[in-house]
Amino acid sequence: MFHISSQKKYWTFDNEESLEQLRCEANQKYRNKMLASGKPGVSDAVFLEAHEENVLFRHYEKRLLDFCNAFKPVMPKSVVGTAIMYFRRFYLNNSLMEYHPRTIMLICAYLSCKVDEFNVSSTQFVGNLVQESAAGQERALEQILEYELLLIQQLNFHLVVHTPYRPMEGLLIDIKTRYPLLENPESLRKSVDDFLTRVTLTDSGLLFPPSQIAMTAILNSASRAGLSMESYLTECMGLKEDKETLLKMYDAMRRIKSLMKKYELPKPDEVNAYKVKLERVHADFGTNSNMKRKRGYEDDDHVAKEPRMTEEEWTDEDLDDL
Amino acid sequence: MRWEWSEVREMDDQGCPRCKTTKYRNPSLKLMVNVCGHTLCESCVDMLFVRGSGNCVQCDTPLRKSNFRVQLFEDPAVDKEVEIRKKVLKIYNKRDFDFSNLREYNDYLERVEEIVYNLTNNLEVEGTKQIMEAYQRENRDIIQKNKAKLTREQEELEELLLLEQQGNEQRRLETLQEEQRQLQAKRKSKQALLDELERSHVPATILLAQHKDRAAQLETQIEKQKQVVKTTIFSTGIPMGQTVSLLTVNRLEEVLYHYQPIHMHTYGPPVPELEQLGRLGYLNHVRTAQPQDMAGGYNSGLACHRAIQDAFSGLFHPLG
């Protein structure tokens, strides 16, 4: 349940400013690390700013969503929600420059399938990377398996994510049972789904409980359809007397709606510019080769594989047309 | 201790050094050992020492017939050592509590072993004998005291053994008597049945039934008797009837435990109970469970309850 979950304890923050703060800190930490390491060609201009990282983050997040939607077999919505939440949480404490988003993106999806018990074998999973050859898929799989533990670690092993989908179902059932004023709640379902999909692309998951998000979705869709649902909160939820909680609820809903409005798809030219910078950072300072040996065979020289410095890693273009 | 199996197996190896063949032909023939460590078969002993004393065949030491003992070990040297050890230990009979510390005791034992070794292997026999005599003279009274102690211990052990044996005997006799009695009783009842069948006018089936009853009663009686074992002693060793004084145990007064139901803060409106869901009409809006789902214990209320719980949990979550 959400009220005793790790999500409530550790991954629900008070306001957007604290989130921004964390992201800036992550960015700064990486910069300091690189500056301190004293590698050649290091200067402040080479690195991405926090807002530039934000643009790229949104871009890759959208791609993750598209990947999950095109996934075969059909991925349940909770799995998609969990994957996006992992992605978001990971980049709350880490910089995009340190770990390239296109790897992390796939790992989030892979881990979320496992955690949510949507059983897909690893070969089936990489089979969804339709642009790749079989060898390319192999390489992708290897990368996924390498970084998986890192992802779990950065999530602080808090793997259970409460998405708003089940609360939404619950609220619909409750409305149908206790609120006969609304005639056909099912008619709202499509717009509610739509709302929830858009909400996952915002920071709401890190700020509000999923039940509040679901409530916002339903009330919003109802008002869009011209149906009034004000009395639901006061009567059925027993908030007629409790003005304070009612105000808080309205406030939360307002904030969620404003977050949704603020969201916009990143502009392509911006994205490309920043992407170039990102690629350069990764090529120059990337720690890719170090990761490859972390399979536990570090000490046995005769067992370790040789570093794959020469082979090309699969690039963004391979994910196009998904 | 009879090493019969070794005798059976190595009959060919062990031969009397004098008459050699007689041992093979007569497996029951025993070998005898003397103080010099050489063996002779019984008949040879009788023949050679007809006058009571003579010389050993192999080493020519003057021997007496009475010194011959029946060989217990395969290797006559072992027998010789055993004899010597017995004699030495009669003199050197101190025990571990006679010494003030372990080191001294170990030194003493070491000396004893050395004496036994020397005598067995005929090294410095004279010197060793002198050492022994000196020791005997010095510790005369201690030796006497220990001898007395030893005999007392042995007597006690023997007494215990005797008691045990007597107990076993008694039990055996008792069980025998019981069995006899049971057999007799059975025979009597059978005889009685036959007599009744002859004499009485009651139909045979009734007589047979009566006989069966009586036999069953007899059985139960026997069973009961078997179970009446006189117990005179508890399993801990305290004999029955002995009064044991118990110290009064202190009473510990504790606060009685009071159950407090767990209160979970859900930060949301109250959720109806699982049992109430049907009555309140929630289940109408949930997909009904298929028979194959119900077989596993699932019912639609479970899914409904979970959805409602998730919907209400954290709804009033305090914001910053």
Side-chain angles (χ1 to χ4, degrees):
Chain A
M1 293 289 108
F2 174 76
H3 51 266
I4 44 175
S5 68
S6 57
Q7 182 172 338
K8 176 167 169 293
K9 247 198 257 188
Y10 302 105
W11 293 101
T12 304
F13 301 90
D14 295 331
N15 45 33
E16 297 94 81
E17 286 79 36
S18 37
L19 294 178
E20 275 310 311
Q21 174 90 4
L22 283 169
R23 290 185 182 128
C24 282
E25 272 173 22
N27 184 304
Q28 198 58 43
K29 201 163 64 156
Y30 179 75
R31 281 165 177 255
N32 294 343
K33 192 166 89 166
M34 282 298 122
L35 288 170
S37 71
K39 282 208 188 134
V42 166
S43 72
D44 252 345
V46 184
F47 297 127
L48 291 165
E49 297 289 322
H51 67 267
E52 297 169 0
E53 281 199 357
N54 199 316
V55 169
L56 282 176
F57 175 79
R58 272 181 280 145
H59 169 75
Y60 279 105
E61 197 187 16
K62 191 74 180 47
R63 297 195 84 154
L64 175 58
L65 187 62
D66 295 335
F67 174 72
C68 292
N69 288 335
F71 199 85
K72 292 183 183 41
V74 177
M75 219 187 241
K77 287 205 283 275
S78 59
V79 179
V80 181
T82 312
I84 299 184
M85 179 60 90
Y86 284 163
F87 195 61
R88 195 173 287 281
R89 284 189 192 176
F90 183 83
Y91 282 118
L92 203 56
N93 298 316
N94 298 288
S95 159
L96 273 95
M97 294 185 275
E98 193 162 6
Y99 305 106
H100 201 295
R102 69 166 175 257
T103 354
I104 302 291
M105 182 176 112
L106 289 181
I107 303 168
C108 287
Y110 186 65
L111 185 64
S112 140
C113 288
K114 276 202 221 173
V115 166
D116 227 24
E117 306 204 358
F118 172 63
N119 291 314
V120 184
S121 75
S122 54
T123 19
Q124 222 178 343
F125 186 86
V126 293
N128 275 293
L129 294 167
V130 285
Q131 290 307 109
E132 296 279 332
S133 60
Q137 287 175 353
E138 265 296 315
R139 259 179 287 142
L141 181 60
E142 268 179 31
Q143 270 207 322
I144 289 176
L145 294 176
E146 270 184 54
Y147 283 84
E148 189 180 358
L149 200 54
L150 168 77
L151 173 67
I152 297 178
Q153 197 179 15
Q154 292 303 317
L155 292 173
N156 213 349
F157 296 87
H158 297 139
L159 297 176
V160 176
V161 166
H162 293 271
T163 54
Y165 301 105
R166 206 184 294 121
M168 184 260 287
E169 300 284 348
L171 284 174
L172 281 178
I173 295 172
D174 192 52
I175 290 173
K176 285 183 215 167
T177 317
R178 291 200 293 167
Y179 195 63
L181 284 176
L182 193 65
E183 274 120 24
N184 194 2
E186 281 299 315
S187 60
L188 296 175
R189 189 179 277 269
K190 179 124 192 350
S191 60
V192 169
D193 274 345
D194 198 39
F195 188 97
L196 286 179
T197 325
R198 286 190 358 247
V199 119
T200 45
L201 295 174
T202 66
D203 275 337
S204 320
L206 291 170
L207 297 166
F208 301 102
S211 48
Q212 281 181 355
I213 300 177
M215 180 67 94
T216 316
I218 292 181
L219 289 183
N220 191 312
S221 318
S223 68
R224 283 258 181 98
L227 305 161
S228 161
M229 275 191 65
E230 295 303 323
S231 50
Y232 179 57
L233 279 177
T234 46
E235 300 291 333
C236 299
M237 293 293 163
L239 287 179
K240 205 188 324 191
E241 315 300 319
D242 198 349
K243 289 286 174 212
E244 199 185 309
T245 322
L246 195 59
L247 279 174
K248 278 204 206 148
M249 289 271 285
Y250 283 134
D251 186 51
M253 297 202 283
R254 203 173 28 82
R255 281 167 63 184
I256 296 174
K257 277 187 266 197
S258 71
L259 273 175
M260 296 251 311
K261 280 211 191 72
K262 268 201 295 189
Y263 178 80
E264 54 180 32
L265 266 179
K267 301 193 199 42
D269 44 349
E270 271 184 2
V271 167
N272 286 331
Y274 300 147
K275 229 200 259 187
V276 166
K277 249 181 148 181
L278 184 72
E279 296 298 338
R280 173 107 49 75
V281 171
H282 270 276
D284 291 343
F285 314 121
T287 51
N288 291 331
S289 47
N290 298 347
M291 296 295 286
K292 288 210 198 268
R293 287 186 165 239
K294 281 207 180 158
R295 299 259 197 132
Y297 287 135
E298 285 139 28
D299 300 315
D300 304 343
D301 284 333
H302 58 284
V303 184
K305 293 196 260 196
E306 301 193 333
R308 307 259 200 108
M309 295 278 277
T310 50
E311 285 188 28
E312 264 184 30
E313 301 206 356
W314 46 279
T315 59
D316 273 356
E317 283 66 40
D318 301 331
L319 292 178
D320 281 339
D321 310 325
L322 266 182
Chain B
M1 198 169 29
R2 296 248 93 239
W3 294 83
E4 272 134 3
W5 56 268
S6 66
E7 284 180 12
V8 167
R9 260 197 311 144
E10 276 123 12
M11 263 202 289
D12 300 349
D13 302 346
Q14 287 274 353
C16 172
R18 209 170 153 269
C19 58
K20 297 207 207 266
T21 53
T22 321
K23 184 65 167 122
Y24 310 154
R25 275 195 253 132
N26 194 355
S28 67
L29 202 60
K30 301 190 206 63
L31 285 174
M32 316 269 277
V33 192
N34 209 318
V35 291
C36 65
H38 295 125
T39 52
L40 275 177
C41 76
E42 228 174 336
S43 33
C44 285
V45 168
D46 288 331
M47 242 193 296
L48 285 177
F49 293 90
V50 66
R51 263 193 296 125
S53 65
N55 287 13
C56 174
V57 172
Q58 286 140 316
C59 60
D60 225 17
T61 6
L63 299 169
R64 275 196 279 255
K65 186 173 177 187
S66 53
N67 284 339
F68 272 101
R69 309 242 184 281
V70 179
Q71 185 179 15
L72 294 169
F73 302 98
E74 233 173 76
D75 186 1
V78 177
D79 259 309
K80 178 179 173 191
E81 187 182 336
V82 166
E83 285 296 322
I84 292 173
R85 191 179 284 273
K86 268 196 232 165
K87 286 206 201 102
V88 170
L89 285 180
K90 270 212 187 102
I91 301 173
Y92 285 85
N93 59 2
K94 278 200 197 159
R95 288 207 283 180
D96 49 353
F97 41 75
D98 287 327
F99 294 91
S100 49
N101 66 359
L102 187 64
R103 189 60 209 259
E104 281 187 36
Y105 183 48
N106 285 338
D107 288 341
Y108 168 78
L109 289 174
E110 177 79 25
R111 281 201 301 266
V112 171
E113 286 303 318
E114 206 165 324
I115 291 172
V116 170
Y117 182 79
N118 287 346
L119 289 175
T120 315
N121 298 333
N122 302 327
L123 305 165
E124 298 178 37
V125 183
E126 284 306 317
T128 319
K129 284 215 174 108
Q130 277 177 356
I131 293 173
M132 277 174 63
E133 278 169 30
Y135 176 84
Q136 195 170 7
R137 260 175 285 140
E138 279 169 34
N139 302 311
R140 203 180 301 251
D141 38 344
I142 300 179
I143 292 171
Q144 287 286 42
K145 206 170 37 146
N146 285 341
K147 244 194 246 178
K149 244 194 267 178
L150 211 62
T151 44
R152 237 184 307 139
E153 277 178 16
Q154 276 177 339
E155 278 171 19
E156 283 173 22
L157 270 169
E158 278 181 35
E159 262 177 60
L160 279 170
L161 279 168
L162 202 65
L163 268 171
E164 216 184 295
Q165 253 188 338
Q166 282 176 349
N168 285 344
E169 264 302 309
Q170 236 183 344
R171 255 174 278 152
R172 208 171 49 85
L173 283 169
E174 274 179 33
T175 37
L176 267 174
Q177 283 176 356
E178 258 312 305
E179 280 180 29
Q180 293 282 4
R181 261 179 271 151
Q182 285 172 21
L183 271 170
Q184 275 186 352
K186 279 207 188 124
R187 256 185 258 140
K188 257 194 241 167
S189 75
K190 265 203 202 138
Q191 196 58 37
L193 172 67
L194 288 172
D195 289 338
E196 276 192 31
L197 282 171
E198 268 187 48
R199 279 185 273 117
S200 93
H201 299 293
V202 183
T205 43
I206 298 188
L207 278 176
L208 275 171
Q210 278 179 350
H211 175 76
K212 260 210 196 117
D213 279 336
R214 252 179 285 142
Q217 272 179 6
L218 211 64
E219 289 272 335
T220 46
Q221 240 186 351
I222 292 167
E223 285 295 321
K224 272 201 216 136
Q225 274 184 349
K226 271 200 206 149
Q227 283 166 4
V228 173
V229 177
K230 227 162 72 110
T231 41
T232 54
I233 191 165
F234 284 113
S235 58
T236 52
I238 305 173
M240 282 202 183
Q242 186 183 41
T243 47
V244 183
S245 67
L246 295 164
L247 297 166
T248 48
V249 180
N250 292 333
R251 258 184 85 119
L252 292 169
E253 289 281 346
E254 295 277 351
V255 178
L256 217 54
Y257 173 69
H258 230 71
Y259 171 66
Q260 310 277 12
I262 307 171
H263 185 68
M264 191 82 85
H265 216 34
T266 61
Y267 298 96
V271 181
E273 299 281 323
L274 182 58
E275 297 81 21
Q276 309 286 329
L277 285 177
R279 191 175 60 80
L280 293 169
Y282 280 94
L283 296 182
N284 303 334
H285 307 291
V286 190
R287 187 178 55 193
T288 37
Q290 303 294 320
Q292 49 260 55
D293 303 327
M294 306 262 288
Y298 171 83
N299 60 51
S300 55
L302 290 168
C304 185
H305 195 234
R306 190 176 182 195
I308 303 284
Q309 272 182 325
D310 258 348
F312 288 177
S313 158
L315 205 49
F316 304 153
H317 184 62
L319 306 167

